[in-house]
Amino acid sequence: MTPGTNQPEPAGIPGLAQFELPTALVKSAVQACRTVNTALDGVFYDVPGLRADFAGLDKAMAAAGEKLPSRIIDFDALADPEGSLLLIDAATAPYVHKYISVEAYLTSPYPETRAVDVATITGVGSSALGSAALAWAVSKALRKPVLAIVPGYGVADVVQQALGGWFGFGLHDWLGTKTVVQNALANAAPKAAAVGRQLPASVPDAPTLHGAPVFRSGSGSSDVLHALMQDRARPFGMLVGHSKGALQIGNALRSLDAGQTHGVKVVTLGCPIAADAPGAKYYQYLGLFDALGQLNMWGHKPDSWVPTWHTTNPSLPPEMDVAAILREVA
């Protein structure tokens, strides 16, 4: 069945409810998997640096008698599977602004939402922690605000990882595994399929099946980036993707007009992709010791081989030096 908003809601389909699992049970299971991925974020991203920087900033603000900012770094929503947009500026308090709706972000009256020039996407299953850590490193390196797209996490993601998503995300991307599972879930159990899809569901004109969001371009993060590139008055000038995040950037750009991709710098870390977006400039880096990235390169050669493995965390060398790479690109 073709995704589209013209499909009837579950209430209008006799017998469909018998396939549903309790939403609370599904969400708890997905949150548990998300928590495991949050722990892995500390392996691949500079989480210690993020925590240390924020602790120092809070100390300085407290000494000056200023009110401490409330932000995602408090991690009250670490296991939240729904995803979000984090506008991160390493130079300006409160440093992190959180948006849970793409449409609300696009229509925001605040000029910083329109001025941000860089967007990042992290790898398989990454939570707000890993997304914030990568975007923070990029913001510090470039000295400008960065928009982090925090991937939503649903049943289709759990299935993909159970099938080896960490070690074969290039294969799963080529086969469209996540799209197939998401569409099947939306057909049989739309309430379960909606868990973890709040952010892509907030994209203007998001496609649905029986009221459950399905993917337009392979994944929720790709759909979000596609909408932002298409609907923002000012397109992003740079996109940074680590691991599977690079593939999600490639999927998002593939169906855009040349005017929306011309001149954008696409930086991939640990997963080279097809350089097929019209007018885009690609800067692709892969580690000499990065077995995971090399497994998923699928014939796409990097521009630069660097003496690292898959991590960007300087606490676990030899790491990809995000700051050095971006200074080279910029």
Side-chain angles (χ1 to χ4, degrees):
M1 187 179 293
T2 303
T5 55
N6 60 337
Q7 304 300 330
E9 298 286 331
I13 308 173
L16 187 60
Q18 66 184 314
F19 295 102
E20 286 285 6
L21 292 170
T23 301
L25 177 63
V26 174
K27 189 162 187 175
S28 296
V30 170
Q31 284 175 329
C33 294
R34 183 70 140 177
T35 302
V36 173
N37 288 325
T38 298
L40 289 171
D41 280 343
V43 175
F44 295 114
Y45 304 106
D46 189 12
V47 173
L50 177 70
R51 291 185 184 275
D53 283 352
F54 275 10
L57 290 166
D58 285 351
K59 185 177 181 180
M61 293 178 73
E66 299 177 16
K67 180 181 178 182
L68 298 184
S70 110
R71 51 180 170 241
I72 195 66
I73 199 66
D74 294 330
F75 302 129
D76 56 338
L78 269 185
D80 183 4
E82 296 301 339
S84 59
L85 298 173
L86 302 179
L87 181 53
I88 293 178
D89 186 348
T92 308
Y95 312 112
V96 180
H97 296 274
K98 179 180 178 180
Y99 298 83
I100 61 172
S101 166
V102 175
E103 192 158 16
Y105 178 86
L106 288 170
T107 58
S108 170
Y110 299 107
E112 55 265 29
T113 60
R114 296 183 293 278
V116 63
D117 187 53
V118 183
T120 61
I121 304 181
T122 46
V124 175
S126 297
S127 70
L129 179 60
S131 299
L134 178 62
W136 185 258
V138 173
S139 181
K140 286 177 65 179
L142 297 177
R143 299 181 180 180
K144 58 172 60 176
V146 174
L147 185 69
I149 299 174
V150 182
Y153 195 75
V155 178
D157 302 271
V158 176
V159 171
Q160 182 187 4
Q161 281 190 231
L163 293 173
W166 275 104
F167 303 102
F169 46 81
L171 176 63
H172 287 292
D173 184 73
W174 181 71
L175 293 175
T177 308
K178 194 187 293 187
T179 296
V180 171
V181 175
Q182 182 69 14
N183 286 357
L185 281 166
N187 263 316
K191 289 183 180 179
V195 172
R197 303 303 178 209
Q198 176 180 298
L199 187 65
S202 69
V203 168
D205 301 318
T208 62
L209 261 176
H210 309 314
V214 290
F215 303 135
R216 178 180 283 128
S217 53
S219 73
S221 296
S222 293
D223 285 0
V224 170
L225 178 58
H226 183 280
L228 292 172
M229 291 291 291
Q230 180 173 261
D231 295 338
R232 288 179 85 222
R234 177 188 178 186
F236 294 112
M238 180 182 290
L239 304 172
V240 181
H242 175 258
S243 192
K244 191 185 177 183
L247 289 169
Q248 293 171 328
I249 289 174
N251 290 339
L253 299 183
R254 197 158 290 134
S255 57
L256 290 170
D257 296 334
Q260 295 163 330
T261 60
H262 182 77
V264 64
K265 295 180 179 180
V266 179
V267 182
T268 68
L269 309 173
C271 184
I273 61 176
D276 54 5
K281 301 175 183 178
Y282 288 80
Y283 304 83
Q284 309 207 63
Y285 296 80
L286 184 59
L288 289 168
F289 318 120
D290 184 355
L292 184 58
Q294 292 174 31
L295 176 67
N296 288 283
M297 61 191 296
W298 277 66
H300 301 131
K301 295 182 179 180
D303 299 303
S304 301
W305 289 91
V306 289
T308 70
W309 66 294
H310 201 62
T311 189
T312 64
N313 184 352
S315 301
L316 298 170
E319 83 287 357
M320 281 194 163
D321 188 335
V322 174
I325 288 172
L326 292 178
R327 283 194 293 266
E328 181 179 296
V329 171

